[in-house]
Amino acid sequence: MAAGCITTCTLSPHSPSSFTHTPSSVIIKSFNLKFQQNEKTGTHGRYRASLIMNPESFEVGRLIGSYGFMNVTSYDTSPQLQDVGGLKFQDVREGDVQIRLYEGRVAQGPRKGTPIIFKVYPGKQIGGLEADMMASNELKSHAFLQSCSQSISKNIQILLGGFETKTGEQWLAFRNDGKYSATDYAKASSEKLSKNRALGEQKSWNPFEEESNMKRKRFFIIKLLQGVLSGLAYMHDHERLHQSLGPSSVVLNTMVDKDAAYLVPRLRDLAFSVDIRFSSLEENAYGLSEGLWRRARSSGAYTTMEKRAFGIADDIYGAGLLFATLAFIPFCEAGIVDSLSLQRLLETTFKLDLAATREYCLADDRFLDAVKFLDSGDGAGWELLQMMLNPDFRNRPIAEAVLKHRFFAAALL
């Protein structure tokens, strides 16, 4: 786990959707966000220049889910432990910050009627200072990315505004471009595969259906990965790290394989995003990025240039673990493997040796379809995965190079 935290999301069914105006008890706070005049330019700069900070401009609907974080709480630098990507950890615990998700819509102004998803951070009394820091950092990161160029990436979630209540809860309003995540897709795909195989001969008489389904799944996953990497490349080009990249931090507008042509994956969860402009890197690193820079130092990254390179490579490592998740779980029956067990297999059992990992998986028929997917282009998938998960951060590719790798074309042939 490269970024120091794992985002997990649970979608919960509740009562039928209904909308109400935000309670009059809320008060407006700007999360200490200050707009600079020269940052209001650009086609998409309007999203930052006109963020909606008035709570009366929103209507709140039903609760649809919740977020949680798993945090690394202690690090061991003893030489006896295997160093994986600069991270040596002993203990992982559930984080204190629990985040709720609500449906909603804009009630006033030029964007009236726009569907939104509220992300609600708890107040200090419940979530502590960390919750405030995460909410503020997420708002600032989105606002910066939405105003720093002529055209924001379509693969990053759009922030429309936010407000804070008297009880200290911080509500961030994002345009509703989908309620499901890559985690949901992988789980649903795996369960569908199990169901189809359980039916055996009772399923469709068409002998080519399974092959067609597999091709559609491959196309969907390739499109998903390309979207994630495009969003990550945009962030890195504009001096921001994601630092919480995983399947739950990718929102999807569809989970249907046959609708892959319309799929637009979007990165979300920028609460741990890090500013890597040189002026920021020269300052003392505390708060949410402290763990990142501790790991950078343990990997030999001391100068500002080395720290910046380590941070970018750390995001690529997270993207590599996401790639592995999507290369395995959707191609395996339900319950065979999950993200954490796959990560342990790669990091602990095989010490990031992907050739050895392939030999192991090749001997297990349950992983056969995943192996075939990564074997595309004469092993191009394994090659790319090895590059992204290289134990030496200096040898990992940047996001643009990953996008140009031959695997993405080979997997579709």
Side-chain angles (χ1 to χ4, degrees):
M1 184 273 301
C5 74
I6 301 171
T7 308
T8 59
C9 178
T10 303
L11 293 178
S12 307
H14 289 272
S15 58
S17 179
S18 60
F19 290 91
T20 59
H21 281 285
T22 308
S24 59
S25 60
V26 296
I27 56 176
I28 305 171
K29 291 190 178 181
S30 64
F31 303 91
N32 297 318
L33 182 66
K34 296 180 180 180
F35 296 119
Q36 300 297 325
Q37 189 65 34
N38 62 357
E39 292 177 328
K40 293 185 180 181
T41 59
T43 304
H44 287 79
R46 64 182 182 274
Y47 283 115
R48 174 168 183 173
S50 61
L51 285 180
I52 305 171
M53 308 304 288
N54 183 355
E56 295 299 327
S57 297
F58 298 108
E59 292 178 347
V60 182
R62 67 186 179 109
L63 176 68
I64 59 172
S66 60
Y67 272 96
F69 294 89
M70 301 298 289
N71 296 329
V72 175
T73 56
S74 65
Y75 297 80
D76 193 329
T77 56
S78 61
Q80 290 82 8
L81 292 183
Q82 176 69 26
D83 184 359
V84 177
L87 175 61
K88 303 171 182 178
F89 62 89
Q90 290 181 297
D91 187 33
V92 178
R93 68 172 177 83
E94 185 174 0
D96 295 327
V97 180
Q98 295 294 318
I99 297 167
R100 306 191 308 277
L101 299 176
Y102 291 86
E103 287 182 332
R105 64 188 176 201
V106 179
Q108 307 173 7
R111 300 196 191 112
K112 182 177 179 180
T114 301
I116 57 179
I117 295 291
F118 284 111
K119 187 174 185 179
V120 185
Y121 284 87
K124 289 184 180 179
Q125 292 182 345
I126 299 177
L129 180 61
E130 185 181 19
D132 275 359
M133 292 172 61
M134 290 168 61
S136 178
N137 190 51
E138 183 157 17
L139 187 146
K140 290 179 180 179
S141 297
H142 276 284
F144 177 82
L145 290 170
Q146 288 172 196
S147 66
C148 60
S149 72
Q150 290 294 318
S151 179
I152 190 172
S153 170
K154 67 178 181 180
N155 298 116
I156 297 178
Q157 196 174 39
I158 294 294
L159 176 73
L160 296 181
F163 57 85
E164 183 174 337
T165 68
K166 287 182 178 179
T167 60
E169 288 190 337
Q170 302 190 53
W171 290 60
L172 300 185
F174 295 91
R175 193 176 67 191
N176 186 350
D177 291 312
K179 302 173 187 175
Y180 300 104
S181 70
T183 296
D184 299 319
Y185 169 77
K187 181 174 182 290
S189 183
S190 180
E191 290 174 348
K192 182 178 179 180
L193 182 63
S194 294
K195 182 179 178 180
N196 287 342
R197 289 183 176 174
L199 291 174
E201 295 181 358
Q202 299 176 33
K203 64 182 181 180
S204 174
W205 57 268
N206 185 350
F208 301 105
E209 182 178 6
E210 186 171 354
E211 182 180 355
S212 297
N213 288 340
M214 193 62 66
K215 287 182 178 179
R216 284 194 290 265
K217 182 183 294 187
R218 287 185 174 203
F219 181 50
F220 189 98
I221 291 172
I222 292 298
K223 189 86 177 290
L224 198 166
L225 288 170
Q226 288 176 325
V228 168
L229 289 162
S230 293
L232 194 62
Y234 180 89
M235 290 188 66
H236 291 172
D237 286 345
H238 294 87
E239 311 295 338
R240 283 293 189 279
L241 303 179
H242 189 286
Q243 282 299 291
S244 186
L245 189 60
S248 291
S249 61
V250 183
V251 64
L252 309 177
N253 61 330
T254 180
M255 293 204 306
V256 181
D257 288 340
K258 66 180 181 180
D259 293 337
Y262 308 103
L263 172 66
V264 183
R266 291 178 172 87
L267 299 183
R268 64 179 180 185
D269 300 330
L270 304 191
F272 292 92
S273 180
V274 178
D275 183 350
I276 53 172
R277 288 176 292 184
F278 287 111
S279 58
S280 297
L281 291 174
E282 290 171 356
E283 299 175 357
N284 291 327
Y286 296 106
L288 298 174
S289 62
E290 184 176 1
L292 170 67
W293 303 132
R294 184 191 303 121
R295 290 186 287 112
R297 290 191 297 272
S298 72
S299 294
Y302 298 103
T303 68
T304 53
M305 184 70 77
E306 290 171 339
K307 288 168 63 178
R308 184 180 184 279
F310 178 88
I312 292 173
D314 202 50
D315 267 359
I316 295 298
Y317 188 92
L321 291 177
L322 172 59
F323 176 18
T325 295
L326 293 173
F328 275 87
I329 295 179
F331 294 101
C332 297
E333 294 187 44
I336 298 300
V337 66
D338 58 38
S339 295
L340 290 179
S341 62
L342 180 61
Q343 185 175 344
R344 286 194 295 268
L345 183 73
L346 293 169
E347 293 179 342
T348 306
T349 304
F350 293 108
K351 312 298 184 189
L352 299 180
D353 182 343
L354 272 298
T357 304
R358 181 184 180 278
E359 291 303 312
Y360 170 83
C361 294
L362 196 60
D364 191 332
D365 289 343
R366 299 175 301 172
F367 298 132
L368 184 59
D369 288 334
V371 171
K372 288 181 178 179
F373 179 56
L374 291 170
D375 276 351
S376 301
D378 194 23
W382 297 102
E383 176 186 279
L384 178 57
L385 199 54
Q386 183 69 81
M387 292 166 61
M388 298 175 74
L389 298 181
N390 195 304
D392 186 349
F393 77 90
R394 299 170 184 83
N395 293 327
R396 294 175 202 152
I398 60 174
E400 288 91 341
V402 175
L403 279 167
K404 295 177 182 178
H405 195 272
R406 63 193 179 91
F407 169 71
F408 292 103
L412 300 178
L413 297 178

